[in-house]
Amino acid sequence: MLYNGNGNRYMKTKDIVYIALFAALTAVLGLFPPITLPITGVPVTAQSLGPMLAGAILGARRGGLSIVLFLVLVALGLPLLSGGRGGFGVMIGVTGGFIFGWAVSAFVIGLLIEKFWNSLNVIKAALSIAFGGIVVLYALGNAWVAVVAEISYWQATVGAAPFLIGDVIKVAIATAACLAVRKSYPLISKSA
Amino acid sequence: MIAGLYIDGNSVLHRAQAGPKILAMVALGTGVFMVPDWPVVSLVLASVIALYRLSGFGWRVIIAQIRPMAWLLAIFFAVQLWLNDWQAGLLVITRIAAIVMFASLITLTTKTSDMLASLERALRPLKPLGVNPEKVSLAISMVLRFIPVIATVASEIRDAQRARGLDRSILAMIVPLIIRTLKMADDVADAIEARSFD
Amino acid sequence: MIRFENVSVQFDQRRVLENIDLALGEKRIGIIGANGSGKSTLVRLLNGLQTATSGRVLVDDLDPAKDGRKVRRHVGFVFQNPDNQIVYPVVEEDLAFGLKALKLPRDEINHRIDEILARYDLLDFKTHPSHLLSGGQKQLLAISGVLVMAPRYVVFDEPTTLLDLRNRNRVERAIADLDQTVITVSHDLDLIAEYDRVLVIENGRIAVDDRPAVAIARYREMMA
């Protein structure tokens, strides 16, 4: 990029800023009012777009760290989760697996997007984001629910199924956003 | 700045250090899973509620902690009733309630700044592993600084898109928002460098 | 004293600056030019935000490309958009940011913060969230953040572009009152009308280097 002369130190400052930016973006996405899906009545919040975008745009390391940073702020007691929730209570509550899973999900999405970076297209991007943002996330989230509610993993999965509709929509949005940003503002280098 | 969830008070819990409180939370969480016995766990839950009272919180605060998870707890109880028996149901819901309520109590009685200070202390031994506590606190401050800026940019973009009839498209909102804030991030990085941060 | 010795900068295939030779010793130096002429790149060389592809830059005999940290301590930088320069959510925290990096004692940090806030009538805002300041106050805060570091040079990159007339005047006055050597990049020709020397940059070269009256008149002809 343009700033090659200053070596590593410079890149590190920029990385910290990007990490903070996507943590803040995830918080701002939580401010949008949730949309309630017809018939099922399941609330869909924009917030879980944050981890998808962070991983798909910043890559594994920075994307994962930005969600870790977001979770640190929530743990510190700031009401940054959608609906103004925050603190340890929500984090270790029933949906804790999904909340911690966001960080893993961002990391996995980033890993896949980096792998496919040079030949990235709609299908590869969508599959990467769906794998990290749905398969990995639900695996962690449902496992957590299964443990605290003392139900089987399968039962937890059935219980979480209605939320899938919202997440599929978010995968589509994140895919389009990731490809658009890649064109005009690529942040994952080819060697990464 | 964004206000934390902390509620002012002068109880023992308010005065206690964040570190030990977090350890107590971990201990309680582990404990209630080690003892799969509903009367014991119910007693723990009752003690947690008593702790709320001792920390100066009224019933309104206590109910506000329970309400968001009430419907989930009801479902879990019903599922256990259907799969096993009511004792199993009671164990599951009292356990979740005890852990969540105690964790929330820690958040309610600990200032964000104290929490941050303990985090910085906890990170210090990780320095040899490449974790730089100063950079962590810089990042935390930047998030708090960015939130209102991004929210403002978002509403500017929404107005602009509305003028073009694109107000229903989330994508028309999110892409310009990301591009604009990424440019901002580049400038911020320059400014940090220019102010001789290393 | 600032020297440019045969400095060229190239981005990919494009030459942004070509063979710049300059010795700048005046107290007030203005730099004007069309968008994309290379004027911002020229000043970014002064603190190592940009490095030269060939040639070298010397600020008081230090090369920003080699001694970036040392040079940055002496060369303050104020950007166009204060929102992108304010790093911390609270006014005093933002001012303390650079000072903490200098490892100054707490008392000294507080003293310097109060002094600078008093200078720009911002003392009442010391513990305020920085995003609630007005546009002009934000730019003054950005300037304060630079001045608390006690630099010898202050570079302004289009500092008044985003401001209304009243705030433009406030910032102009703030710049005029500085003891430091000032280098201002601007589209705002009034801002630099009283300076000691004005450079006009065109296509990566110095097209005019003269007194403001002469340089601005030539610039107007060029842009006509």
Side-chain angles (χ1 to χ4, degrees):
Chain A
M1 295 281 298
L2 303 183
Y3 316 100
N4 47 9
N6 253 342
N8 275 335
R9 176 176 295 149
Y10 191 81
M11 285 314 288
K12 276 182 187 161
T13 301
K14 194 162 267 195
D15 289 338
I16 298 172
V17 180
Y18 286 150
I19 288 166
L21 180 70
F22 275 77
L25 190 70
T26 305
V28 172
L29 286 169
L31 298 174
F32 294 121
I35 301 161
T36 308
L37 289 181
I39 307 163
T40 53
V42 172
V44 178
T45 71
Q47 191 154 52
S48 46
L49 258 179
M52 294 181 185
L53 294 169
I57 290 167
L58 294 183
R61 202 174 131 261
R62 291 176 300 188
L65 283 175
S66 71
I67 302 304
V68 169
L69 178 61
F70 171 75
L71 296 180
V72 164
L73 281 149
V74 173
L76 291 178
L78 295 170
L80 301 180
L81 288 169
S82 59
R85 296 164 308 144
F88 289 125
V90 219
M91 297 184 80
I92 65 172
V94 178
T95 52
F98 289 95
I99 294 172
F100 285 108
W102 278 348
V104 181
S105 144
F107 183 82
V108 171
I109 292 171
L111 220 52
L112 293 170
I113 295 282
E114 282 172 12
K115 195 169 154 48
F116 297 131
W117 186 251
N118 286 328
S119 62
L120 200 68
N121 55 28
V122 181
I123 295 166
K124 287 180 186 170
L127 288 177
S128 303
I129 296 170
F131 183 76
I134 295 181
V135 178
V136 172
L137 183 66
Y138 277 64
L140 295 167
N142 291 338
W144 185 296
V145 172
V147 170
V148 297
E150 297 212 341
I151 53 181
S152 73
Y153 188 78
W154 170 243
Q155 286 158 339
T157 306
V158 170
F163 291 91
L164 269 175
I165 316 160
D167 286 306
V168 169
I169 298 169
K170 278 177 255 183
V171 169
I173 294 171
T175 302
C178 151
L179 292 170
V181 174
R182 176 178 182 265
K183 234 181 266 165
S184 52
Y185 220 102
L187 293 176
I188 296 171
S189 73
K190 284 168 188 158
S191 55
Chain B
M1 235 180 98
I2 304 142
L5 297 162
Y6 171 79
I7 298 176
D8 211 14
N10 193 30
S11 69
V12 181
L13 266 184
H14 279 93
R15 277 175 280 138
Q17 293 239 321
K21 279 192 276 194
I22 293 167
L23 287 180
M25 178 178 80
V26 174
L28 183 132
T30 320
V32 290
F33 269 98
M34 304 255 280
V35 189
D37 188 18
W38 73 263
V40 177
V41 178
S42 302
L43 207 66
V44 173
L45 176 59
S47 324
V48 171
I49 292 171
L51 261 178
Y52 270 78
R53 302 291 296 143
L54 286 173
S55 307
F57 295 115
W59 290 103
R60 267 206 14 226
V61 173
I62 296 171
I63 290 165
Q65 308 307 313
I66 300 175
R67 199 183 297 132
M69 55 178 170
W71 64 273
L72 257 181
L73 293 185
I75 292 172
F76 289 165
F77 185 77
V79 169
Q80 287 302 326
L81 208 56
W82 174 53
L83 294 173
N84 301 300
D85 49 32
W86 65 268
Q87 287 96 331
L90 217 50
L91 172 67
V92 164
I93 66 168
T94 50
R95 185 155 67 193
I96 295 171
I99 298 174
V100 171
M101 301 246 345
F102 190 69
S104 302
L105 184 60
I106 306 302
T107 298
L108 289 171
T109 58
T110 314
K111 283 187 190 140
T112 304
S113 54
D114 292 345
M115 211 72 101
L116 186 58
S118 341
L119 174 72
E120 279 165 2
R121 259 198 308 279
L123 287 178
R124 226 172 283 155
L126 299 179
K127 223 169 174 170
L129 296 172
V131 178
N132 183 336
E134 279 105 56
K135 286 187 176 168
V136 174
S137 42
L138 171 68
I140 289 173
S141 299
M142 261 193 291
V143 179
L144 299 177
R145 160 82 191 117
F146 283 157
I147 290 172
V149 177
I150 297 175
T152 310
V153 174
S155 71
E156 278 171 27
I157 292 171
R158 198 167 39 198
D159 288 347
Q161 305 294 30
R162 201 169 279 162
R164 300 170 56 195
L166 287 171
D167 53 321
R168 290 185 159 263
S169 164
I170 299 181
L171 204 61
M173 158 91 196
I174 216 117
V175 174
L177 180 65
I178 292 171
I179 305 271
R180 255 180 78 177
T181 53
L182 282 174
K183 288 205 177 103
M184 171 186 88
D186 286 345
D187 289 349
V188 170
D190 278 353
I192 290 174
E193 285 289 305
R195 287 167 77 181
S196 72
F197 177 77
D198 54 24
Chain C
M1 188 68 153
I2 293 170
R3 287 178 192 283
F4 286 78
E5 296 176 352
N6 200 23
V7 173
S8 295
V9 174
Q10 188 153 355
F11 294 160
D12 298 323
Q13 299 302 315
R14 209 164 63 88
R15 281 234 145 172
V16 180
L17 287 177
E18 258 187 289
N19 307 102
I20 304 283
D21 271 299
L22 268 179
L24 302 172
E26 290 78 2
K27 233 169 153 183
R28 293 289 183 268
I29 298 150
I31 299 177
I32 55 182
N35 291 328
S37 58
K39 54 190 192 314
S40 283
T41 307
L42 185 76
V43 290
R44 288 164 68 90
L45 287 161
L46 292 177
N47 66 354
L49 283 178
Q50 180 64 53
T51 47
T53 313
S54 63
R56 67 171 181 169
V57 179
L58 290 175
V59 178
D60 292 341
D61 297 322
L62 287 172
D63 184 345
K66 295 195 187 104
D67 290 301
R69 276 185 67 196
K70 260 191 206 157
V71 174
R72 271 179 223 126
R73 205 169 282 184
H74 302 304
V75 183
F77 223 97
V78 178
F79 296 83
Q80 181 181 49
N81 187 349
D83 263 336
N84 299 353
Q85 177 148 7
I86 299 165
V87 179
Y88 276 75
V90 177
V91 169
E92 62 174 337
E93 285 178 7
D94 192 71
L95 293 172
F97 166 61
L99 297 173
K100 277 187 188 158
L102 292 183
K103 305 247 177 330
L104 292 178
R106 192 67 234 179
D107 289 349
E108 170 71 15
I109 292 180
N110 274 328
H111 176 70
R112 285 209 204 177
I113 290 175
D114 286 347
E115 199 177 52
I116 199 80
L117 287 174
R119 183 158 162 189
Y120 294 125
D121 275 336
L122 292 171
L123 257 183
D124 291 345
F125 300 98
K126 188 175 176 184
T127 56
H128 273 227
S130 36
H131 73 274
L132 294 182
L133 298 180
S134 73
Q137 287 169 335
K138 276 187 197 164
Q139 191 56 292
L140 289 172
L141 173 61
I143 295 174
S144 303
V146 166
L147 292 183
V148 280
M149 306 294 286
R152 288 204 288 269
Y153 299 88
V154 186
V155 179
F156 291 90
D157 194 352
E158 300 184 29
T160 56
T161 309
L162 299 173
L163 302 179
D164 63 24
L165 192 59
R166 168 179 298 166
N167 284 312
R168 204 198 66 103
N169 291 336
R170 274 177 88 182
V171 168
E172 185 175 343
R173 231 173 300 129
I175 297 174
D177 289 342
L178 293 179
D179 297 325
Q180 280 90 347
T181 293
V182 169
I183 297 159
T184 304
V185 173
S186 185
H187 287 299
D188 178 354
L189 301 179
D190 294 339
L191 186 64
I192 51 157
E194 307 285 314
Y195 277 25
D196 301 319
R197 181 175 174 184
V198 170
L199 309 175
V200 180
I201 313 290
E202 166 106 318
N203 294 329
R205 295 170 182 276
I206 294 165
V208 184
D209 179 354
D210 216 314
R211 290 180 294 116
V214 180
I216 291 173
R218 285 282 305 281
Y219 180 59
R220 285 192 200 278
E221 281 167 31
M222 287 161 63
M223 293 298 118

